[in-house]
Amino acid sequence: MTAFAWRHNIPMRILFYADNTKVQPWVDGLREAIPRAHVEHWLPGAAPADYAVVWAPPQHLLDEQPQLKAIFNIGAGVDALLQRRLSPSTLLVRLDDAGMSVQMAEYVCHAVIRHFRELDAYEREVAAGKWSFRKPRLRSDFPVGVMGLGVLGERVAKAVAHFEFPVVGWSRTPKTIEGIRCFAGPGEMDAFLAATRILVCLVPLTPETENILNGDTLSKLRPGGYLINVARGAHLVDADLLALLDSGHLAGATLDVFRTEPLPAGHPFWNHPKVNVTPHTSARTLREETIAQIAGKIAALAREEPIAGVVDRERGY
Amino acid sequence: MTAFAWRHNIPMRILFYADNTKVQPWVDGLREAIPRAHVEHWLPGAAPADYAVVWAPPQHLLDEQPQLKAIFNIGAGVDALLQRRLSPSTLLVRLDDAGMSVQMAEYVCHAVIRHFRELDAYEREVAAGKWSFRKPRLRSDFPVGVMGLGVLGERVAKAVAHFEFPVVGWSRTPKTIEGIRCFAGPGEMDAFLAATRILVCLVPLTPETENILNGDTLSKLRPGGYLINVARGAHLVDADLLALLDSGHLAGATLDVFRTEPLPAGHPFWNHPKVNVTPHTSARTLREETIAQIAGKIAALAREEPIAGVVDRERGY
């Protein structure tokens, strides 16, 4: 139907919904990128549309538009969308990179370097007026393990390897990445954790991966382990991390995502001396790149060509 | 003479001197790496030696050993050694990398990412219990300029480019580095500065480069410029940097090296809100790597083969 409309110059209809960002720049950007389309803010009672571009739309809006050919998510993780009931005929499409993987590589490399080079400690000492000396640590003592080797995970693993850290990776299905020792599946998780000192979590959030960062898995990291969670807060059992930090098995953590966001006032992560908190800023959606990618995918769908990033609802990502 | 001694199994004599590190591990390491050599701590009255391995030896020791075939410096910069009177027949050899360039790449990338991603600001806000949001900045607005494209500078430039920043470089003589726009010589310095927002100083300290980071050059950086000095403190005119930070033309600086080290108590850099100070920790000499490199070069000299890293005393590096 959409291909028909496109070919016959019947205006394509696109709806935009997001509750965490300004709507107008997105609507304007989509209009500019797809001049033949009618683009509007998705409100109750909208006329039936061909496509929707969204972040976490409410169920009642989705229920009104079962004919949607595709829903484009403007973030990398589709876990919020998969909690909704969706029409079986609607394609669910995740964002592929669009400037996110380089941001993720930056954020993770910054956290790895800051921990390995003890830059937090130097900073505290300098703030106290102290010119200090610390014995350099050996890179070989700080193997980095990347859990999840999708677009983001692979980019992060390669960026860390660029700084000559030993790097291992784990994914649900086997992967091959040059220079990275790759483990796969539940059967190789323990070996992956035992080979890891700095753990980077980048798996999608699914029923299987919820709470995957728990006392059992985190205690299998090498002594002095360090956690960097840049995936979803629901991957982590907060109390288990705190216990392992207190026992000294883990040296610290950098956390960008939380079970409840914003992180609630009074949560122990806010002021924990071994925890660095950032407000979900590791990889932000960049509007221009995202609109360009979605416009390209809509054009491909209109030509009845396959597109990348279609979510497998069974698998959950 | 040394080649003669080596061939005829007359023990080679090596002296070690450094005033800023423990001597015994170096002496032991050199003995282990070059079993045929007699290695000792360089004290006044030592028997004439073939080679010396040093950091900043005093003039009176150098005066006693004019016959030295080569002096190996255990840091990347030879500016301290070149302030001494040295026998014209003695080769002066700098350290080539030996694990330093990856450390420098780490340190500079950490500083670039921390500034670009405003991680200092997020950290302050988190410390105050605030979950904040900042509009993502555009990478294209933050071109990084690397001044000095030797082993360290080239490695740093490539590491920064890996994160998709625009990167330009400047060196005394023309260089070609893939992906980096290279400027050369005094005539192209202004164009280099005008193309730079984050300036990384990695030139050797020579009479021509002393005070090269001054009010004139730093004011030619793009507005909102940022300085990362990881070369020598004497490259920077401290007061000029402070004036440009106060005027707002420069947004900040990360400084690892200072005109006097340790940085004197009361120096305005210690507590300046726009200056990040570290205690000369950007790239530290790694003993094992350094000893292995020097042992290899001594073996090459004994075979009368050429070696890398011989300092051109006229040029100053």
Side-chain angles (χ1 to χ4, degrees), chain B residues 120-202:
Chain B
D120 274 331
Y122 279 120
E123 191 173 289
R124 279 194 303 273
E125 288 155 1
V126 165
K130 190 175 161 205
W131 180 273
S132 54
F133 176 87
R134 287 163 178 272
K135 195 162 180 283
R137 294 159 147 191
L138 292 179
R139 210 167 292 276
S140 54
D141 287 340
F142 285 81
V144 177
V146 180
M147 185 188 283
L149 295 171
V151 173
L152 300 177
E154 181 171 344
R155 174 66 181 258
V156 164
K158 286 177 173 168
V160 171
H162 189 83
F163 295 107
E164 303 179 19
F165 289 93
V167 181
V168 297
W170 180 91
S171 54
R172 208 179 63 107
T173 53
K175 299 262 168 107
T176 306
I177 304 173
E178 203 191 322
I180 315 294
R181 186 171 158 216
C182 292
F183 298 83
E188 292 180 16
M189 177 60 85
D190 282 2
F192 163 75
L193 294 168
T196 294
R197 181 149 172 193
I198 300 180
L199 177 65
V200 181
C201 179
L202 269 167

Side-chain angles (χ1 to χ4, degrees), chain A residues 20-21 26 74-76 95 97-104 106-107 152 256 278-287 289-290, chain B residues 117-118 122 132-137 139:
Chain A
N20 63 348
T21 186
W26 282 89
I74 62 172
L95 194 62
D97 201 335
M100 286 199 140
S101 70
V102 63
Q103 294 180 70
M104 203 55 101
E106 273 180 345
Y107 183 95
L152 300 178
D256 186 51
T278 50
H280 204 146
T281 188
S282 55
R284 296 258 291 276
T285 297
L286 301 176
R287 196 173 59 234
E289 284 87 339
T290 301
Chain B
R117 297 290 296 272
E118 302 186 86
Y122 279 120
S132 54
F133 176 87
R134 287 163 178 272
K135 195 162 180 283
R137 294 159 147 191
R139 210 167 292 276

Side-chain angles (χ1 to χ4, degrees), chain A residues 37-279:
Chain A
H38 176 89
V39 184
E40 63 182 312
H41 184 197
W42 191 354
L43 297 172
D50 302 286
Y51 301 106
V53 177
V54 305
W55 182 254
Q59 187 65 52
H60 66 89
L61 287 183
L62 291 162
D63 290 343
E64 288 184 14
Q65 301 268 351
Q67 81 296 333
L68 283 171
K69 186 175 170 69
I71 297 177
F72 294 90
N73 193 52
I74 62 172
V78 290
D79 45 290
L81 257 179
L82 285 175
Q83 288 168 17
R84 307 281 190 267
R85 285 184 314 279
L86 298 170
S87 162
S89 64
T90 301
L91 286 181
L92 190 57
V93 187
R94 71 172 155 269
L95 194 62
D96 292 322
D97 201 335
M100 286 199 140
S101 70
V102 63
Q103 294 180 70
M104 203 55 101
E106 273 180 345
Y107 183 95
V108 171
C109 286
H110 173 273
V112 167
I113 295 168
R114 197 160 177 84
H115 176 61
F116 172 62
R117 297 289 296 271
E118 303 186 85
L119 292 166
D120 274 332
Y122 278 120
E123 190 173 289
R124 280 194 301 273
E125 288 155 0
V126 164
K130 190 175 161 204
W131 181 271
S132 54
F133 176 88
R134 288 164 178 271
K135 195 163 181 284
R137 294 160 146 191
L138 293 178
R139 211 166 290 276
S140 54
D141 288 339
F142 285 81
V144 177
V146 180
M147 186 189 281
L149 295 171
V151 173
L152 300 178
E154 180 170 345
R155 173 66 181 258
V156 164
K158 286 177 174 170
V160 172
H162 188 83
F163 294 107
E164 304 180 18
F165 288 93
V167 181
V168 297
W170 180 90
S171 53
R172 207 178 64 107
T173 53
K175 299 264 169 106
T176 306
I177 305 174
E178 202 192 321
I180 315 294
R181 186 173 159 214
C182 292
F183 297 84
E188 291 180 17
M189 176 60 86
D190 282 3
F192 163 75
L193 293 168
T196 294
R197 181 150 173 193
I198 300 179
L199 177 64
V200 181
C201 179
L202 268 168
V203 287
L205 181 62
T206 68
E208 290 89 59
T209 65
E210 188 171 352
N211 299 324
I212 197 169
L213 305 171
N214 57 51
D216 179 49
T217 53
L218 294 176
S219 65
K220 288 172 180 156
L221 294 175
R222 296 196 177 183
Y226 192 89
L227 173 66
I228 300 172
N229 189 16
V230 280
R232 288 286 184 260
H235 285 123
L236 174 65
V237 182
D238 296 359
D240 290 8
L241 171 63
L242 290 166
L244 285 163
L245 291 171
D246 289 347
S247 79
H249 183 71
L250 296 187
T254 289
L255 306 176
D256 186 51
V257 289
F258 305 91
R259 212 162 264 273
T260 305
E261 294 180 7
L263 183 64
H267 193 291
F269 289 159
W270 275 112
N271 300 306
H272 197 290
K274 295 181 180 174
V275 178
N276 288 322
V277 166
T278 50

